[in-house]
DNA sequence: TCTGGGGTCCTAGGACCC
DNA sequence: TCTGGGGTCCTAGGACCC
């Protein structure tokens, strides 16, 4: 059996952990630049606040209804996510960390009759030691476990655990699950299937393999099998190395000055390079893109990108920043108000298998040692201790985060203080 | 009338996820 | 003023190889 553990309204719950007066109150978390709503507590959902609702339009509503609003604090969420994973790991041998707030657990070592008790224990362990409420769905396949989890969130809020342990139960639950709520059915397939009268997951299981294969590729066919109880999606116990790494962000305000944009780009490039080094990969291709605000129809628009193939794959920040700057130089045009810049790296090879270049003049050994030193300094003394000149200090590009909560768990200066 | 056949690799675009 | 960011997988079609 497979269980999926899903943190309830994760970001909103994180904000509550060190701020218990938010318990029972409506809480929402906003996207980068405080743009729109990306997480809501149950109370916020009950008030009718929609996912993606624009913050500036909701301002009055938030005030009237005493909604607690936060800028997203990924440092805090990432840190609490790690804590949750640690607790889960203490219960099972094999698990797949699926996202910041979800993990699949392999329960094949447990007897069917032990499972519900175990999951109730897991749930209270996470709540007690981290402070995050979770919901657990259990079933023979990942897709069915997701169905069970969704059902648990709607119908078994108190226990928070739901086990699809018989074919009859599976059948009933599938008939109560809307097709659009199935893991793997996005908006396009939802529209198409609904038009055909396939309204529930149970309806979907009645379709033929051929039809599903033809219209939804092998991905759809796997989903069909999984809903019928035949596992097709393996557990990934170890995260495979990434095939692409990207860093891009909208600016807190529109920028037209090239220097400001270059500073942002240098920072994003460094971020990607650090991630590359962490997974011991080098990239042979770096792309830079730049764009104005597509929502401002009255302003003149510009989007451009450039891909730079590298003769020798690398993961050193200094070299990658140099290429990124060269790329920006090629695509930057004066006279536009820019909203976003980004960098993307693809075509990875393992650090240990780099093909040298005949005419390569870069001092790679020296650069690699420099990166090792830089990374270990930053690891020991904080992420931004050693920087490249190109990263600058002006930070005109920085995010708008007007309602940021403290990084309670990762910055000693922001730790919780208690009056005794 | 007829235009080889069997492969690989790469890219762009679409769909999906959280 | 104001609309997130970072990924994955699959397929079709073109280029290219022998």
């Amino acid at each position: 059996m497979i269980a999926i553990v899903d943190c309830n309204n994760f970001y909103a719950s994180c904000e509550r952990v060190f701020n218990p007066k938010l318990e029972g109150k409506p809480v929402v978390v906003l996207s980068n630049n405080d743009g729109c709503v990306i997480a809501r507590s149950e109370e916020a959902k009950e008030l009718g606040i929609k996912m993606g609702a624009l913050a500036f339009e909701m301002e009055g509503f938030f005030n009237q209804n005493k909604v607690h609003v936060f800028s997203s604090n990924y440092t805090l969420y990432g840190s609490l996510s790690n804590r949750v994973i640690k607790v889960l790991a203490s219960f099972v041998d094999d698990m797949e960390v699926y996202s910041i707030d979800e993990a699949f657990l392999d329960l094949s070592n447990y007897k069917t009759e032990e499972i519900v008790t175990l999951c109730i224990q897991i749930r209270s362990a996470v709540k007690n030691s981290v402070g995050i409420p979770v919901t657990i769905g259990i079933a023979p396949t990942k897709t069915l476990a997701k169905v069970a989890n969704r059902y648990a969130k709607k119908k078994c809020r108190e226990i928070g655990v739901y086990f699809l342990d018989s074919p009859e139960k599976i059948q009933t639950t599938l008939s109560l699950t809307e097709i659009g709520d199935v893991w793997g059915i996005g908006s396009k397939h939802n529209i198409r299937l609904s038009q055909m009268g396939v309204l529930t997951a149970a309806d979907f299981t009645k379709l033929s393999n051929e039809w599903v294969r033809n219209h939804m590729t092998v991905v759809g066919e796997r989903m069909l099998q999984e809903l019928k109880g035949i596992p097709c999606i393996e557990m990934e116990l170890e995260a495979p190395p990434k095939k692409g790494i990207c860093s891009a962000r909208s600016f807190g305000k529109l920028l037209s000055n090239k220097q400001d944009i270059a500073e942002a780009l240098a920072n994003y490039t460094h971020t990607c390079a650090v991630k590359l080094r962490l997974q011991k990969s080098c990239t042979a291709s770096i792309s830079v893109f730049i764009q104005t605000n597509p929502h401002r129809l009255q302003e003149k628009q510009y989007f451009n990108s450039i891909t730079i193939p590298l003769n020798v794959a690398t993961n050193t920040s200094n070299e990658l920043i140099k290429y990124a700057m060269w790329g920006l130089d090629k695509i930057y045009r004066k006279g536009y108000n820019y909203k976003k810049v980004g960098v993307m790296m693809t075509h990875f090879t393992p650090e240990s298998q780099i093909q040298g270049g005949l005419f390569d003049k870069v001092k790679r050994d020296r650069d690699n040692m420099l990166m090792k030193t830089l990374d270990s300094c930053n690891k020991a003394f904080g992420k931004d201790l050693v920087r490249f000149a190109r990263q600058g200090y002006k930070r005109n590009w920085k995010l708008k985060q007007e309602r940021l909560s403290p990084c309670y768990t990762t910055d000693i200066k922001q730790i919780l203080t208690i009056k005794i």
Side-chain angles (χ1 to χ4, degrees):
Chain A
M1 287 291 165
I2 295 173
I4 175 97
V5 181
D6 190 320
C7 301
N8 301 347
N9 316 321
F10 184 54
Y11 298 168
S13 299
C14 286
E15 295 296 344
R16 274 183 179 154
V17 170
F18 296 96
N19 196 348
K21 69 165 196 268
L22 299 176
E23 216 60 55
K25 309 259 172 64
V27 174
V28 303
V29 176
L30 303 179
S31 65
N32 281 340
N33 288 313
D34 297 346
C36 61
V37 173
I38 56 166
R40 305 158 296 162
S41 70
E42 289 308 318
E43 299 77 6
K45 288 178 192 170
E46 277 158 24
L47 283 173
I49 300 169
K50 296 270 178 285
M51 202 67 166
L54 298 181
F56 79 98
E57 284 180 1
M58 299 292 290
E59 197 73 42
F61 183 88
F62 289 157
N63 287 332
Q64 275 166 30
N65 293 279
K66 298 206 166 82
V67 179
H68 295 81
V69 183
F70 293 92
S71 304
S72 32
N73 183 345
Y74 289 102
T75 313
L76 176 68
Y77 312 151
S79 149
L80 292 185
S81 171
N82 291 338
R83 293 184 181 191
V84 172
I85 298 306
K86 247 187 204 161
V87 176
L88 298 180
S90 68
F91 283 91
V92 291
D93 297 330
D94 289 328
M95 82 167 150
E96 171 183 339
V97 179
Y98 178 63
S99 75
I100 193 166
D101 71 334
E102 282 174 75
F104 288 103
L105 310 183
D106 179 354
L107 301 183
S108 49
N109 292 335
Y110 290 91
K111 292 193 194 112
T112 308
E113 56 273 21
E114 300 171 338
I115 285 180
V116 171
T117 319
L118 170 76
C119 289
I120 291 174
Q121 279 174 21
I122 293 178
R123 191 167 174 264
S124 62
V126 175
K127 179 70 186 156
N128 291 335
S129 52
V130 191
I132 296 287
V134 302
T135 302
I136 306 181
I138 311 119
T141 68
K142 281 179 159 183
T143 310
L144 284 173
K146 289 283 258 183
V147 168
N149 191 292
R150 196 170 184 91
Y151 187 84
K153 279 198 177 131
K154 285 195 172 158
K155 305 284 168 76
C156 325
R157 292 268 287 280
E158 281 308 306
I159 308 176
V161 173
Y162 188 62
F163 185 8
L164 291 177
D165 54 355
S166 73
E168 297 72 33
K169 219 163 154 185
I170 292 178
Q171 204 44 48
T172 320
T173 312
L174 289 182
S175 65
L176 294 171
T177 302
E178 285 176 34
I179 186 64
D181 290 340
V182 175
W183 186 46
I185 301 286
S187 61
K188 303 281 175 187
H189 288 325
N190 186 18
I191 291 169
R192 164 167 224 165
L193 291 166
S194 302
Q195 281 168 349
M196 294 167 50
V198 176
L199 302 177
T200 67
D203 295 339
F204 183 72
T205 59
K206 289 174 198 136
L207 294 174
S208 74
N209 278 353
E210 290 68 36
W211 189 93
V212 174
R213 175 89 194 203
N214 286 337
H215 296 89
M216 300 171 67
T217 78
V218 66
V219 180
E221 209 180 355
R222 278 202 280 259
M223 200 183 326
L224 184 62
Q225 296 304 310
E226 285 247 325
L227 287 174
K228 290 178 178 171
I230 304 159
C232 298
I233 308 174
E234 296 280 301
M235 292 274 275
E236 268 178 10
L237 305 181
E238 258 174 70
K242 295 200 190 318
K243 296 172 180 170
I245 294 176
C246 166
S247 181
R249 243 170 268 328
S250 299
F251 309 129
K253 57 178 188 221
L254 295 176
L255 296 178
S256 49
N257 182 336
K258 190 169 163 194
Q259 289 312 309
D260 290 336
I261 297 169
E263 196 182 298
L265 180 61
N267 278 279
Y268 302 161
T269 307
H270 176 61
T271 302
C272 288
V274 170
K275 287 187 188 173
L276 263 183
R277 295 198 288 274
L278 266 179
Q279 69 164 33
K280 300 190 186 306
S281 299
C282 285
T283 183
S285 167
I286 165 171
S287 307
V288 175
F289 68 89
I290 186 169
Q291 73 182 64
T292 50
N293 186 347
H295 300 293
R296 285 205 182 182
L297 298 170
Q298 70 278 20
E299 284 200 25
K300 47 181 186 166
Q301 299 286 321
Y302 178 70
F303 172 90
N304 206 350
S305 71
I306 186 169
T307 299
I308 307 159
L310 309 186
N311 286 328
V312 179
T314 182
N315 61 13
T316 58
S317 296
N318 48 336
E319 200 186 353
L320 288 165
I321 288 175
K322 197 176 72 192
Y323 292 125
M325 292 301 119
W326 184 85
L328 178 66
D329 215 54
K330 294 279 166 210
I331 57 175
Y332 173 85
R333 298 283 175 279
K334 252 191 186 156
Y336 290 96
N337 287 319
Y338 291 99
K339 178 66 180 165
K340 190 176 189 177
V341 69
V343 57
M344 238 179 304
M345 299 179 189
T346 49
H347 300 88
F348 295 167
T349 39
E351 205 170 53
S352 53
Q353 299 168 23
I354 298 308
Q355 174 98 44
L358 198 52
F359 305 105
D360 189 23
K361 288 190 184 131
V362 179
K363 292 182 177 137
R364 296 188 185 276
D365 289 343
R366 184 204 62 173
D367 283 0
N368 287 332
M369 271 167 59
L370 181 63
M371 290 307 115
K372 263 204 184 104
T373 313
L374 183 150
D375 289 339
S376 52
C377 284
N378 286 349
K379 194 179 168 197
F381 303 110
K383 171 169 164 291
D384 271 340
L385 181 78
V386 186
R387 305 155 55 80
F388 291 88
R390 255 325 195 161
Q391 290 177 261
Y393 282 99
K394 287 203 300 196
R395 299 179 69 86
N396 279 336
W397 45 275
K398 69 178 187 301
L399 291 178
K400 182 175 155 198
Q401 290 180 309
E402 286 171 355
R403 321 195 197 212
L404 193 61
S405 52
C407 292
Y408 298 104
T409 55
T410 52
D411 184 347
I412 194 71
K413 285 180 238 138
Q414 298 184 36
I415 202 166
L416 200 64
T417 53
I418 319 169
K419 277 186 208 156
I420 302 176

